[in-house]
Amino acid sequence: MSTNFDVNRIREDFPIFKNHPDLIYLDNSATSQKPFQVIRAVTEFYEKSNANPLRGLYDLAQTATEEYEQAREKVRKFIHAARADEIIFTRNATESLNLAAYSFGDLVLHEGDEVVVSIAEHHSNLLPWQAAAARHGAVLRYLECDEKGKITEEAFRAALTKRTKLVAITQVSNVLGRKNDIKTFAKACHEKGIAIVVDGAQSVPHMMVDVQDLDVDFLAFSGHKMLAPMGIGVLYGKHKYLKKMQPFLSGGEMIESVTRERTVFAQPPQRFEAGTVNAGGAVGLGAAIDYINAIGFEQIEKQESMLTQLAAERLQKIPHVHLIGSDDPAEHHGILTFSIDGVHPHDIAAILDADHIAVRAGHHCAQPLHQHLGVMSTTRASLGFYNTEEEIVKFTDSVAQIRRKMGYDE
Ligand SMILES: Cc1ncc(COP(=O)(O)O)c(C=O)c1O
């Protein structure tokens, strides 16, 4: 490890670890913990700058608006978008994907068209497309992965037909941890005039994502998985599409003018941010971006891949434990989903909890993927840069004891 990354120093920024000294938190894919810098930024917004942004003309309302718009600018830079008006604040990745499926789906889908989704999608990037396809008489087609979770360029290209209008796909799977080659997939889509909507919920917090380099049409992610508060999310969309899309929600602060008969909607992004916005959440997301930038993705990826490798190698050595997805730790990106012969994932999670280890058990909102893999449910450990090698050793030692605790001889 490089000397300027001191995990013990970093952990001091996270009050949760002071309040729960025994906690080994390995549920980072569900939500991350928050550093005091983010908590303080949100508190300060409410203590010093609170007014309803984007409407009041008095000084304090202008301050609130400025802080909200500064947060938008931080997000723009963070994902390397060309324009700030391509950044829409939502509640979370789920709302972002629903917005895309309604507003963009309405713009491009017609009867007989095809929407392609991968079998590995989180329900948040599946259900909105199922509904959009049904509303427009379009067909939802599934892009299968191999048994290790890989989607090859060949398989991707083969799924695109003359009727395909859009592809909705995750950058990193929340179950397999596998990263899709979005740049190659976007190129394949655009060669055929197809749009690509990317779920970045598990990628944006852990790696540098450049929407212009990837050339994605839409990118959705949640603040709460990247150190920010719950209740703030982002949808990036190319301006050429956003300007043509109708709003998903309507009401206050998203109009140019309203008469008894008709409404002229505001330009993006306001057109897609109906009602009072979550300015405190946006300011918190801005502070989270500052925090991540101060460490840098190089250090974050180094620490997370070192921990992933350690965890995967130790899990792979335990008899009766099966790592789901690739055998190569480098393809897990902080996500280690596993099963243990003869032990239900809920029992695994409960036994680990008794050792103060927090993991997730169930289908992880990816039931079609579990059906595809032939398992009902699994257990997932997901890592963050503030986890330590010592925690990984305790976690894997605890996993190694589970079958014995359940009454098996070995
Ligand atoms: C890949 C992926 N997409 C979407 C979501 C939905 O995120 P949220 O619940 O914040 O909307 C999640 C949450 O776990 C996820 O892992």
Side-chain angles (χ1 to χ4, degrees):
M1 288 300 301
S2 139
T3 46
N4 57 2
F5 185 89
D6 178 352
V7 71
N8 292 319
R9 232 290 306 124
I10 279 171
R11 286 172 73 84
E12 286 172 11
D13 290 339
F14 290 78
I16 199 95
F17 299 130
K18 283 195 191 85
N19 292 320
H20 299 271
D22 294 333
L23 174 67
I24 297 180
Y25 186 73
L26 300 178
D27 198 17
N28 292 283
S29 292
T31 199
S32 72
Q33 297 301 340
K34 323 298 175 196
F36 78 83
Q37 290 88 339
V38 167
I39 299 167
R40 195 176 58 195
V42 177
T43 307
E44 275 189 5
F45 173 80
Y46 286 109
E47 285 180 354
K48 296 182 184 164
S49 313
N50 181 56
N52 203 320
L54 305 165
R55 44 194 99 195
L57 292 176
Y58 48 90
D59 219 35
L60 193 60
Q62 304 271 12
T63 304
T65 305
E66 272 162 29
E67 292 199 13
Y68 183 64
E69 293 304 329
Q70 275 164 13
R72 196 190 307 279
E73 177 58 17
K74 283 184 187 175
V75 173
R76 181 196 71 73
K77 278 203 190 123
F78 188 64
I79 60 167
H80 305 268
R83 311 164 51 127
D85 62 3
E86 293 180 321
I87 307 298
I88 301 164
F89 282 123
T90 62
R91 280 190 304 137
N92 46 40
T94 302
E95 188 176 287
S96 300
L97 292 163
N98 273 272
L99 195 169
Y102 275 87
S103 299
F104 186 59
D106 281 2
L107 183 70
V108 296
L109 292 178
H110 299 98
E111 197 167 339
D113 285 342
E114 291 175 2
V115 176
V116 172
V117 292
S118 98
I119 195 72
E121 294 315 302
H122 187 282
H123 294 165
S124 293
N125 199 26
L126 172 58
L127 276 54
W129 301 110
Q130 276 181 344
R135 275 197 309 279
H136 297 282
V139 179
L140 193 69
R141 284 168 56 103
Y142 285 90
L143 179 56
E144 310 286 337
C145 54
D146 69 17
E147 76 284 1
K148 299 291 179 193
K150 188 172 174 63
I151 299 172
T152 61
E153 181 180 353
E154 202 183 7
F156 186 86
R157 285 183 181 271
L160 308 179
T161 75
K162 280 193 188 120
R163 303 305 310 256
T164 310
K165 280 289 166 59
L166 68 94
V167 174
I169 189 163
T170 193
Q171 188 166 15
V172 170
S173 157
N174 66 312
V175 177
L176 306 166
R178 190 183 273 275
K179 183 172 151 196
N180 284 317
D181 184 356
I182 295 297
K183 190 169 175 170
T184 300
F185 293 175
K187 188 166 176 285
C189 283
H190 294 148
E191 279 168 16
K192 295 190 164 178
I194 298 165
I196 182 164
V197 179
V198 174
D199 178 350
Q202 299 296 349
S203 57
V204 174
H206 302 284
M207 58 193 70
M208 198 270 281
V209 174
D210 180 330
V211 289
Q212 292 190 81
D213 179 54
L214 295 174
D215 198 19
V216 297
D217 298 297
F218 293 89
L219 176 80
F221 57 98
S222 291
H224 72 91
K225 293 183 196 289
M226 50 178 285
L227 315 181
M230 295 183 186
I232 187 77
V234 171
L235 179 68
Y236 158 81
K238 280 186 183 162
H239 182 71
K240 68 172 182 180
Y241 290 128
L242 293 180
K243 71 179 181 192
K244 290 192 202 148
M245 285 159 49
Q246 293 298 303
F248 165 47
L249 299 171
S250 56
E253 272 318 290
M254 45 77 72
I255 52 95
E256 211 69 73
S257 64
V258 181
T259 63
R260 287 186 186 215
E261 292 78 29
R262 67 186 287 270
T263 298
V264 178
F265 297 117
Q267 291 301 310
Q270 273 71 40
R271 185 186 302 175
F272 302 105
E273 295 182 354
T276 298
V277 297
N278 180 2
V283 167
L285 178 56
I289 288 172
D290 290 342
Y291 191 91
I292 290 170
N293 285 340
I295 299 176
F297 273 124
E298 201 184 319
Q299 296 291 347
I300 288 174
E301 286 193 61
K302 226 184 202 176
Q303 170 78 355
E304 291 182 353
S305 68
M306 180 273 290
L307 294 172
T308 308
Q309 170 117 10
L310 180 66
E313 283 172 3
R314 290 178 68 93
L315 285 176
Q316 281 165 329
K317 282 191 197 133
I318 306 171
H320 300 285
V321 171
H322 308 282
L323 192 58
I324 312 287
S326 177
D327 298 326
D328 180 359
E331 285 176 339
H332 280 269
H333 299 97
I335 294 178
L336 299 147
T337 299
F338 61 98
S339 62
I340 304 181
D341 292 334
V343 189
H344 193 280
H346 287 176
D347 290 326
I348 299 174
I351 292 170
L352 292 174
D353 185 40
D355 287 342
H356 312 287
I357 301 166
V359 296
R360 175 96 182 262
H363 51 65
H364 318 298
C365 302
Q367 284 191 336
L369 177 62
H370 278 78
Q371 288 152 13
H372 179 77
L373 298 169
V375 282
M376 280 289 285
S377 60
T378 50
T379 308
R380 180 185 70 189
S382 52
L383 319 175
F385 61 81
Y386 43 62
N387 287 124
T388 66
E389 291 171 69
E390 194 190 350
E391 288 182 319
I392 299 303
V393 170
K394 281 189 186 160
F395 156 64
T396 48
D397 282 351
S398 185
V399 169
Q401 297 301 318
I402 289 176
R403 270 181 55 97
R404 199 187 43 75
K405 286 183 180 167
M406 290 296 291
Y408 293 97
D409 290 338
E410 41 131 359

